[in-house]
Structure formats: structure tokens, C-alpha cells
Amino acid sequence: PNGIPFNTFVAPNSTAYTPGFLDGVPPAIPIDQITPFHFHPLNYTYGSAAALALGRGAAMKMHFTPCEGELEKLATISQDLQDPEFQFHNLKYSLEEGSFSFCVFIQLQENPCLEPVEDATIRWLTEPRLVAKLTLHQQTVYDYDFYCDNTVYHPYRTLVEHFPLGSIQRSRHPAYGFSQSYRLMINNGIMGDGSMGQTDPNRKRPEFSPVYRCTDTAYNPQL
């Protein structure tokens, strides 16, 4: 899978099959299928069909996939679908036994007419490039607690150079903010402000070069 573009977008029955919406595996799956289900959370490829900026004049897509030989380390100790934490139990066992590494790949936008940022359903077929390795070291995995449940993730909490691009990313901005506020209210009886840590009220979307957008002018690879 290391050299195959990550193209999964949304499973057709995503409302009834959450992992098919969140996760994916290369290559792109037929529209009438869903992504395979795994009992171990480290057995997935994680990524998004939505694009990110690559500096101020380019765009990319990114995915994380288990490095070669890593899946052989995984042991599934729980396959009890009635247990809502069976994936956590498998993750806890594996990381307490040893480390695990994901290889990080990006796809570059080489032609903005063929690899648009606005329509995430259009597959990018550019070659995945290995850019990093993320290693989860052997460690003690503590039981899930309120610290975990209150942890905030937001795709817009990132470097300006890797600002989220496209309609899917824009729709995620309010969705993640609402999710944070709702979770804090349910857990602690307090309402977040939806800012996701962005304390500057004047923070605006950075200006980018239009190079990553397709125009009526014939594409010029020298731009």
C-alpha cells in the first residue's frame, strides 16, 4: 500500500458504518463497497481526501499508513463487538508490548485542473511521497478518562503554511467547534466558545497564491 494513492472519501453507507466514514485504505474502493473493518485501530490507514496548503503556492493531501513489517507486530486480544472499548484494549496491549510506526505520505498537486482542492471527491493520482515516520513508542497506556474526553482536536489549529483548503475543510471548521462545545457541556457543564484555542478574534484566512487553482488559462507547469 505504500505506493498507492490514498483516495477513499466517504463510504456510501457512512451513517450506519462510522469507520467507513472516518478511515480508509488505499487504493480507492468501488462506490458500492465500504472500507474493510479491523479489530485493531493501528491496522488502518488514516488520512483525508481534503487538501492542505503546502506553503503559499501549492497544495497537498496526506495520509498515514503502517510502515512495512509493522502489521506483523499487532495482536488482537479482543474481538468482542459488544464491548464498546475493544479497539482500545487491542491498542493498549500492542503499545505496552512494543513500539509501532506509521509512514507519512503526501501527494502533491501537480496540475490544479486535474487535482482540484474544492471537490474532494475527485481522485488525485499523483505519486505518494514518503516524507516522515511517526513512531508510537512502547508505553503504559492508561485507561480512558476525562483528560482524553476533553482533548480538543481541530484541523484549523495548524501552521499557516499548511492551512486547510477546500469546501470539506471549511465545513469542518464550524462542525469541530460545535463538537467541542457540546462535549465540554456534556462532560463538565460548561460551554466552550468554539474558538478551538484561537484567541485572536481578528485571525483571518491567510492569502494564498492562486497557483493551486484551475483557471481558464491552459495549465502552465512552469508557474
Side-chain angles (χ1 to χ4, degrees), residues 18-183:
T18 303
F21 179 80
L22 298 178
D23 309 330
V25 291
I29 58 175
I31 191 63
D32 59 345
Q33 295 183 17
I34 59 177
T35 54
F37 174 79
H38 299 290
F39 285 97
H40 204 299
L42 296 180
N43 203 9
Y44 283 100
T45 291
Y46 292 89
S48 175
L52 301 168
L54 185 60
R56 293 185 176 272
M60 67 175 178
K61 292 186 178 183
M62 179 184 297
H63 68 271
F64 298 68
T65 192
C67 295
E68 186 175 356
E70 292 298 290
L71 293 180
E72 300 172 1
K73 301 178 180 179
L74 300 183
T76 299
I77 62 170
S78 175
Q79 298 185 21
D80 182 7
L81 296 177
Q82 301 303 315
D83 176 8
E85 297 183 351
F86 70 90
Q87 286 196 328
F88 168 75
H89 295 318
N90 293 328
L91 175 67
K92 175 180 174 68
Y93 177 83
S94 292
L95 291 184
E96 290 182 347
E97 289 293 309
S99 63
F100 189 88
S101 294
F102 281 95
C103 286
V104 184
F105 290 85
I106 65 171
Q107 289 177 264
L108 300 179
Q109 183 196 54
E110 297 177 356
N111 184 333
C113 298
L114 298 178
E115 296 102 30
V117 300
E118 286 299 325
D119 188 350
T121 65
I122 297 179
R123 298 169 56 185
W124 287 20
L125 298 179
T126 53
E127 180 183 359
R129 301 166 184 255
L130 177 63
V131 295
K133 178 184 288 187
L134 173 65
T135 298
L136 305 175
H137 295 288
Q138 183 178 10
Q139 59 191 279
T140 299
V141 180
Y142 297 98
D143 290 338
Y144 190 90
D145 56 19
F146 278 107
Y147 177 82
C148 298
D149 212 31
N150 291 328
T151 299
V152 173
Y153 167 77
H154 196 288
Y156 279 73
R157 184 180 267 181
T158 184
L159 298 175
V160 171
E161 289 76 12
H162 301 311
F163 200 82
L165 301 175
S167 58
I168 293 295
Q169 300 283 35
R170 289 194 297 275
S171 68
R172 286 173 174 168
H173 194 289
Y176 275 83
F178 175 82
S179 175
Q180 176 213 26
S181 296
Y182 179 80
R183 187 171 64 252

